[in-house]
Amino acid sequence: MCGIVGYLGKGYAQAPLIDGLRRLEYRGYDSAGVAFHEGNEFSLARETGRVKNLADSVQKNSSSSSLGIAHTRWATHGAVTVSNTHPHMSQDGKFVMVHNGVIENYGILKKFLVSKGIKFSSETDSEVLCNLIAYHYSELPTGEDRFIDAVRLALPQSRGAYGIVILCVDYSDTMIGARRGSPLVVGLGEEANFIASDASAFVGRAKEAVFLNDGELSIISGKNFRITTMEGEEAKAVAHPVEQISEEVELGDFDSYMEKEIFEQPTALENTLRGRFGDDGTTAKLGGLEGHEDELRNLDRIIFVACGTARHACMVGEYLIERLARVPVEVEHASEFRYRNSPKAGKSLVIAVSQSGETLDTLEAVREAKTKGLLTLGITNVVGSSLARETDGGVYQRVGPEIGVASTKAFSSQACLCAMLGLALGRMRDLSPTDGQAIVQALNDLPDLVTKVLQQGEQIRELAIKYSKAEHLLFLGRQSLYPVALEGALKLKEISYAHAEGYPAAELKHGPIALINPDCPSVFIVEGSSLSSKTIANMQEVKARKGPVLAIAPDNVEIPEEAVDDIFRLPVVHEVIRPILANLPLQLFAYHFARLRGLDVDKPRNLAKSVTVE
Ligand code: G6P
């Protein structure tokens, strides 16, 4: 994996392909490559490092081809080297292919191909699949469908996940894409057609996008395009306009997408909330849940499945939903849920949360839940994503594209939707109208309160300057602020590479306290409840061991001077929105901390925005 873009059109392929890769850079990668159809052969350029390196190298040897494929690779099989970089060419030079995903049985397939005399030049599973297609091609009689038939013979032999785009040297105006588990989208334009892993690759160049389903192939031939099943039956192509996303992916006046997305949160949350409250002002009305009211009213258990930041938002949901709706809630790492034989106790609802809607671990957890006959709902930001299509119902986050690898605005909207879900479920059960009304009011106040907190960004920058030499930090919070501690630590390590751990504040004394010394600061996220005195006692335990303490605390919580070195104050708010507000200074802290270290916050090392492998 990571980013794919293929071009077939009237003009030169070079510029749109390199531009497409640039637009996919946000997904994270460690090398990039491009291949052009040059009549009787393919030309190939591949570089480790940034797309810029590839662009410079391609510039020196410009191609006038109008058919090509390009890829940014995030290493799975084999090190970050030029030979492992995509596109891969079959040994006979007949095919070039780019691939996202993992071919799990590539070892067996490789053995078979080696026995046929095929030699490999990379360590990748992708080169194996490319050669398998070439092998079938060599065995087929000449004919119009030979290319597509070879693809159709090879793909069912591979186990695992793929999104591929492949070219054959004998077909100068055909590009084939195929999907199982890894997203692919066809872009239809007047001058050219595209196949990419993400519609942002062809924004401004294609008018409509058609998302492929698992098991589908897209065949672009000259100006024509069709989608078929693996067996060759025509499949339905539903086109979505792409213009709507073009402006949202521009950086504007900001230095990085992460900064832009942090400051976009008031608007993002307004969009998440808009039109989603009942007329009587006491409950939330989530359209995607309509038709499931009876099932929701009679639930015995909710299981959230998610990864990374999205899982932390689910953990916020766990505390809020249990409190508001009195339904038992569990939060599982999606990757664990999938293989765990969790008993099917009573009527369970599985809610999968994923910004991209394409995280493979999360999708597989949903598929497992469906196999067990459980109702599944999705919370996702990407319209038409696999998660949106595969769940029984769900809710869109509506925060616009999130480009920064470190998730920020998506977390806030996911936590907000969890609170709304808690409210809706609570009102279906025993939450009073008065309590419902107070929560609706709090949620409606959220965008303005977020603006207010973000306006104090300069104070956070100063705190980041003070603490930015630290190589180890602890983040501590209780109840719904415990996931915020986890998220604060995750954000910091993702983009600054400092070592940070999140813990429930009381857990400090059960181990992590051994780490405390003058070089290991602790960030306490203090709740505005009766528990705050206990958290302050934990802060004092740190201070007693000469550990620096930074507190993020509501205005009305008094903290003795001897318990803290620095305090960032938050407005006093309803508990349902407290985690969202408390997380904002931690986003900014991580952002400034990383910037002070001269790091590129949008492209942290080794990370990918959307992880489409297990
Ligand atoms: C990757 C990203 C994380 C993200 C996680 C889940 O690991 O680096 O930032 O939280 O995937 O992504 P999703 O799209 O499913 O929310």
Side-chain angles (χ1 to χ4, degrees):
M1 51 171 262
C2 211
I4 287 178
V5 51
Y7 172 103
L8 171 54
K10 288 186 191 161
Y12 297 157
Q14 185 170 313
L17 286 179
I18 297 292
D19 186 45
L21 288 187
R22 283 206 179 100
R23 289 171 179 272
L24 295 176
E25 279 195 283
Y26 77 93
R27 295 169 66 106
Y29 67 100
D30 27 49
S31 55
V34 61
F36 299 105
H37 192 295
E38 306 284 7
N40 299 324
E41 57 176 6
F42 290 111
S43 64
L44 209 58
R46 301 183 295 179
E47 296 287 340
T48 56
R50 294 281 169 228
V51 169
K52 189 179 176 311
N53 303 351
L54 177 71
D56 291 347
S57 122
V58 169
Q59 200 62 44
K60 285 182 206 135
N61 265 315
S62 274
S63 166
S64 52
S65 169
S66 55
L67 172 59
I69 52 176
H71 189 260
T72 47
R73 171 175 187 250
W74 185 81
T76 55
H77 288 73
V80 181
T81 59
V82 169
S83 57
N84 286 337
T85 303
H86 299 218
H88 288 287
M89 193 186 291
S90 59
Q91 187 206 241
D92 60 8
K94 288 258 182 209
F95 290 87
V96 285
M97 191 186 93
V98 289
H99 168 222
N100 280 350
V102 172
I103 305 300
E104 288 167 3
N105 60 338
Y106 83 107
I108 301 167
L109 298 173
K110 192 168 182 174
K111 240 186 219 162
F112 166 75
L113 292 167
V114 168
S115 77
K116 298 284 172 196
I118 291 163
K119 292 194 175 58
F120 289 85
S121 55
S122 80
E123 304 158 83
T124 66
D125 52 341
S126 313
E127 190 191 6
V128 174
L129 183 55
C130 183
N131 272 299
L132 186 67
I133 294 170
Y135 167 75
H136 284 294
Y137 187 80
S138 70
E139 297 278 294
L140 285 166
T142 322
E144 205 190 323
D145 291 335
R146 191 175 169 197
F147 178 13
I148 183 75
D149 286 348
V151 174
R152 284 203 182 108
L153 284 171
L155 290 181
Q157 281 183 273
S158 64
R159 259 204 341 260
Y162 55 76
I164 61 162
V165 181
I166 184 159
L167 307 180
C168 176
V169 80
D170 299 333
Y171 293 74
S172 60
D173 68 348
T174 302
M175 168 164 74
I176 295 178
R179 166 190 170 142
R180 186 171 71 207
S182 240
L184 272 191
V185 52
V186 177
L188 303 172
E190 271 168 21
E191 300 292 311
N193 293 325
F194 297 79
I195 307 178
S197 51
D198 177 330
S200 51
F202 47 70
V203 158
R205 296 184 197 266
K207 285 206 156 141
E208 290 181 318
V210 177
F211 297 91
L212 259 67
N213 292 310
D214 271 350
E216 287 181 349
L217 295 160
S218 62
I219 303 128
I220 299 186
S221 222
K223 279 171 63 184
N224 302 322
F225 119 93
R226 62 200 169 96
I227 294 188
T228 74
T229 63
M230 203 58 71
E231 293 72 38
E233 279 165 34
E234 293 296 318
K236 205 170 149 207
V238 184
H240 301 266
V242 279
E243 282 93 333
Q244 63 202 29
I245 60 171
S246 59
E247 272 183 26
E248 290 170 323
V249 297
E250 301 302 336
L251 197 51
D253 293 334
F254 291 95
D255 285 341
S256 66
Y257 283 105
M258 184 180 180
E259 187 192 19
K260 174 178 184 254
E261 287 155 9
I262 289 174
F263 284 95
E264 243 166 38
Q265 289 178 104
T267 321
L269 286 164
E270 263 169 30
N271 291 335
T272 299
L273 291 161
R274 183 169 299 117
R276 285 178 162 167
F277 292 108
D279 296 337
D280 68 352
T282 71
T283 190
K285 205 176 69 191
L286 298 164
L289 308 186
E290 271 166 25
H292 297 290
E293 289 82 355
D294 285 346
E295 288 150 298
L296 294 176
R297 189 167 285 117
N298 297 310
L299 279 181
D300 294 314
R301 170 172 79 150
I302 294 175
I303 307 167
F304 277 103
V305 290
C307 305
T309 291
R311 195 180 69 89
H312 295 155
C314 297
M315 289 175 72
V316 169
E318 177 180 14
Y319 285 95
L320 298 183
I321 295 172
E322 286 195 342
R323 209 168 166 91
L324 302 178
R326 314 295 306 135
V327 187
V329 180
E330 289 166 35
V331 180
E332 288 253 21
H333 291 274
S335 55
E336 288 296 312
F337 175 81
R338 184 188 174 191
Y339 293 108
R340 178 178 159 192
N341 201 6
S342 149
K344 201 182 153 185
K347 297 182 197 85
S348 299
L349 162 68
V350 169
I351 307 179
V353 181
S354 168
Q355 185 284 130
S356 62
E358 300 295 350
T359 300
L360 191 65
D361 286 327
T362 309
L363 292 174
E364 291 295 355
V366 168
R367 289 166 192 157
E368 175 60 18
K370 290 180 90 169
T371 307
K372 291 192 163 139
L374 303 178
L375 177 67
T376 59
L377 296 179
I379 294 181
T380 183
N381 191 32
V382 179
V383 176
S385 60
S386 303
L387 184 66
R389 284 178 289 141
E390 292 190 27
T391 40
D392 298 311
V395 188
Y396 282 121
Q397 296 177 227
R398 304 185 190 148
V399 298
E402 190 181 65
I403 308 288
V405 169
S407 185
T408 53
K409 62 178 179 176
F411 171 88
S412 297
S413 80
Q414 287 161 351
C416 177
L417 285 171
C418 285
M420 295 173 86
L421 192 62
L423 169 62
L425 292 174
R427 291 288 293 125
M428 285 178 187
R429 293 167 168 242
D430 46 15
L431 191 76
S432 73
T434 328
D435 287 343
Q437 205 169 28
I439 294 167
V440 171
Q441 180 66 51
L443 288 165
N444 276 324
D445 290 344
L446 182 60
D448 285 346
L449 288 163
V450 169
T451 305
K452 209 170 146 190
V453 174
L454 293 176
Q455 278 165 353
Q456 300 171 67
E458 184 49 29
Q459 194 197 336
I460 287 290
R461 198 178 72 85
E462 281 160 19
L463 290 168
I465 294 173
K466 178 167 174 187
Y467 290 99
S468 66
K469 297 279 177 298
E471 283 306 331
H472 303 274
L473 294 95
L474 293 178
F475 287 74
L476 302 128
R478 283 168 191 264
Q479 300 288 296
S480 64
L481 299 183
Y482 161 48
V484 173
L486 290 176
E487 176 58 12
L490 177 67
K491 213 69 339 176
L492 191 73
K493 68 184 138 199
E494 278 182 316
I495 58 168
S496 79
Y497 319 143
H499 170 229
E501 300 280 353
Y503 281 99
E507 196 64 19
L508 180 73
K509 55 190 175 294
H510 298 297
I513 199 161
L515 298 174
I516 299 299
N517 67 30
D519 299 324
C520 176
S522 298
V523 181
F524 280 87
I525 305 111
V526 186
E527 51 297 309
S529 69
S530 55
L531 284 176
S532 55
S533 58
K534 295 190 189 296
T535 306
I536 292 167
N538 299 136
M539 289 159 60
Q540 271 156 336
E541 287 158 16
V542 172
K543 285 297 290 174
R545 287 157 183 87
K546 302 201 169 19
V549 170
L550 162 61
I552 311 290
D555 273 331
N556 62 347
V557 174
E558 262 184 55
I559 303 180
E561 254 177 51
E562 64 278 12
V564 70
D565 293 285
D566 297 285
I567 309 182
F568 180 87
R569 289 294 184 179
L570 291 169
V572 180
V573 296
H574 193 289
E575 62 172 328
V576 297
I577 60 167
R578 204 179 286 151
I580 301 172
L581 288 186
N583 189 49
L584 302 171
L586 302 185
Q587 294 175 343
L588 284 170
F589 186 74
Y591 168 77
H592 289 300
F593 199 101
R595 289 300 301 264
L596 288 161
R597 292 180 170 211
L599 297 168
D600 182 343
V601 293
D602 283 343
K603 298 182 197 94
R605 75 177 177 210
N606 303 343
L607 294 184
K609 179 72 182 157
S610 171
V611 181
T612 54
V613 291
E614 266 196 83

